[in-house]
Amino acid sequence: MLPLLLAFALAAPKTITLVPTETVWVYANASTPADGTYLRAWGVEGKSCPPEGEDAGQFSFSYLKWDLADLPKGAKITSAKLTLTNIADPGFTVETSKRCPIEVRPVVGEFEAKKWTFDMSSKVRPNGDDKSIFGTGFPDKIASETPVPITVDLLKGPNKFAEALDKAQGGSSHTISLSITSKLDPSADGRSCIYKLYGQNESKEWLRPQLVLTFE
C-alpha cells in the first residue's frame, strides 16, 4: 500500500502560486511607479500599447516580474492562470471589459523596479503584436463595494506561454516578466474607465497578483 500511495503522490499534479517580486506602473505622470501599491492599464484610440518607436506618454500599462527558481524543472505545465483584482466600483462595466479586456504580453527588454524611470519605456516595452498575447481576461460580474477579480488563462494564446516559461527557467536570472495592457480608453469612456489593480504590496494577500501554475 505504501509504494502505491508514494507513486500516487509523485504523479499527482503540483500547483505553485507566485506573487511578483517587482512591479512597475508605466505612465508618464506616475509619481511612484515602483511602489507596488497599484497597477494600472489603459489604451488610446483602440490601441493597448504604442507601436515600436511611438511615444508611450498617453498610454498606461504595468510590468510584473516573477522569480521561477522554485519551479520544478522539466515538468509539463497543464495550467497557468494570472489572477488579478481590480479595486471596487470600477469605471467600467462587464460589457466594456469584455470589449477591452486585460491583455497579458511579454516584456521586450529588462527592468529593475528600483531603477525605473519613464524614459526607459522606449526600450523596455510590451510586445505590441496581437500574436504576442498570452491571454486576456475580464470579470464575470461586478458587485457594488466589492473588489473585482479577473483571471487570465495564459495558455489560451495565441502566444505560447509554456515555451516562454521554459525559456525563462533556463535563463541566467530565472525570472519572467509580463506586461498588463488594455484598450480601455478613459478619453472616450470617462476618466475612471481604467483598470486599477492591487499590487504585490497590498496588505490583504488575497488581493495581490498571483501567478498560479500547475504541473503534472
Side-chain angles (χ1 to χ4, degrees):
M1 179 62 72
L2 183 59
L4 181 61
L5 292 175
L6 180 60
F8 178 78
L10 292 174
K14 182 176 184 179
T15 297
I16 297 175
T17 299
L18 304 174
V19 174
T21 56
E22 299 180 58
T23 61
V24 168
W25 171 32
V26 183
Y27 180 52
N29 297 322
S31 57
T32 54
D35 68 352
T37 304
Y38 293 108
L39 306 174
R40 298 166 176 84
W42 67 77
V44 178
E45 297 179 347
K47 295 182 288 186
S48 60
C49 49
E52 184 176 3
E54 185 176 314
D55 179 41
Q58 299 303 310
F59 292 84
S60 172
F61 32 86
S62 297
Y63 300 154
L64 305 89
K65 184 180 291 186
W66 314 82
D67 184 354
L68 309 178
D70 292 334
L71 297 188
K73 292 179 173 61
K76 180 181 178 182
I77 189 166
T78 57
S79 175
K81 303 287 180 65
L82 176 60
T83 61
L84 304 164
T85 306
N86 202 89
I87 63 169
D89 303 316
F92 56 82
T93 64
V94 171
E95 290 71 25
T96 304
S97 185
K98 284 183 179 179
R99 176 167 47 86
C100 301
I102 283 179
E103 306 165 347
V104 180
R105 304 169 177 269
V107 177
V108 177
E110 298 290 335
F111 76 92
E112 288 185 55
K114 63 183 179 181
K115 296 181 179 180
W116 179 262
T117 59
F118 182 73
D119 59 3
M120 297 176 182
S121 63
S122 61
K123 294 183 179 180
V124 183
R125 57 185 179 81
N127 190 328
D129 187 335
D130 284 346
K131 293 181 179 179
S132 74
I133 295 174
F134 291 126
T136 61
F138 54 85
D140 294 326
K141 62 180 181 179
I142 298 175
S144 178
E145 300 182 0
T146 303
V148 183
I150 300 172
T151 299
V152 180
D153 181 355
L154 298 176
L155 297 185
K156 188 174 182 179
N159 201 356
K160 297 180 179 179
F161 180 76
E163 291 184 5
L165 187 71
D166 186 62
K167 182 178 179 180
Q169 279 186 273
S172 58
S173 66
H174 305 294
T175 62
I176 190 169
S177 296
L178 303 175
S179 61
I180 295 173
T181 65
S182 177
K183 295 177 182 178
L184 276 185
D185 187 348
S187 67
D189 298 315
R191 292 179 61 186
S192 64
C193 192
I194 66 172
Y195 289 107
K196 185 176 181 180
L197 309 157
Y198 292 100
Q200 83 276 19
N201 289 335
E202 163 60 37
S203 60
K204 299 181 180 66
E205 293 185 11
W206 62 278
L207 294 175
R208 299 171 186 169
Q210 295 184 341
L211 184 60
V212 185
L213 305 173
T214 301
F215 301 86
E216 67 175 21

